[in-house]
Amino acid sequence: MHFHWIAIVLAALAGFLVGGLWYGPLFGKAWMKARGITPESAAGANMALIFGTTFVLNLVAAFMLDHLYQTYDAPLGLHYSLVVAAIIGVGFVATSFGVNYLFSRQPRSLFFIDAGYWITVYLVMGAIFGLLA
């Protein structure tokens, strides 16, 4: 098995950058409100640890996605990689969030923000693999 290290690192970076936009200017205020986070409570967070761990977790996700693409004997192109990424984002991640958010009675807005983020991240990662791998 040959791993596509450049695509893995770029996909992890892309996930990190999408998160910065998603939870920053796009949906940051709505997400903080739905989570009950105030600017004061957010200021006390260890952002270096959060960002560093986030990048490592995105790196693991990208590595696993690359492994998944190589598991099946199918040509890796943009269409195939996006279909697989959509299946993961919508079919596994968003549905799992949905079940947890229903039972923990989280706001619907929070579900859409968080699930939308992961669907978007997997689609961006899939596009990177489809174009580079």
Side-chain angles (χ1 to χ4, degrees):
M1 190 171 283
H2 170 75
F3 291 102
H4 304 96
W5 292 109
I6 293 173
I8 290 169
V9 171
L10 288 176
L13 284 170
F16 190 78
L17 293 173
V18 168
L21 291 171
W22 199 268
Y23 291 104
L26 294 177
F27 302 106
K29 289 180 182 177
W31 179 81
M32 287 177 68
K33 180 180 177 186
R35 279 279 177 207
I37 298 173
T38 64
E40 296 77 30
S41 66
N46 182 344
M47 297 312 289
L49 177 65
I50 291 170
F51 288 155
T53 305
T54 296
F55 179 73
V56 169
L57 293 172
N58 279 334
L59 197 57
V60 171
F63 179 82
M64 292 285 108
L65 189 57
D66 188 39
H67 178 72
L68 180 66
Y69 286 138
Q70 294 185 59
T71 301
Y72 298 98
D73 189 23
L76 184 60
L78 185 59
H79 176 76
Y80 174 77
S81 63
L82 287 174
V83 168
V84 171
I87 289 169
I88 293 168
V90 175
F92 294 106
V93 177
T95 57
S96 298
F97 271 59
V99 169
N100 286 354
Y101 284 25
L102 283 170
F103 278 95
S104 62
R105 295 177 177 89
Q106 296 296 320
R108 185 176 294 132
S109 62
L110 186 61
F111 166 75
F112 286 119
I113 293 168
D114 289 340
Y117 164 71
W118 282 109
I119 292 167
T120 303
V121 165
Y122 275 105
L123 287 171
V124 169
M125 285 184 175
I128 289 169
F129 281 105
L131 294 170
L132 296 180

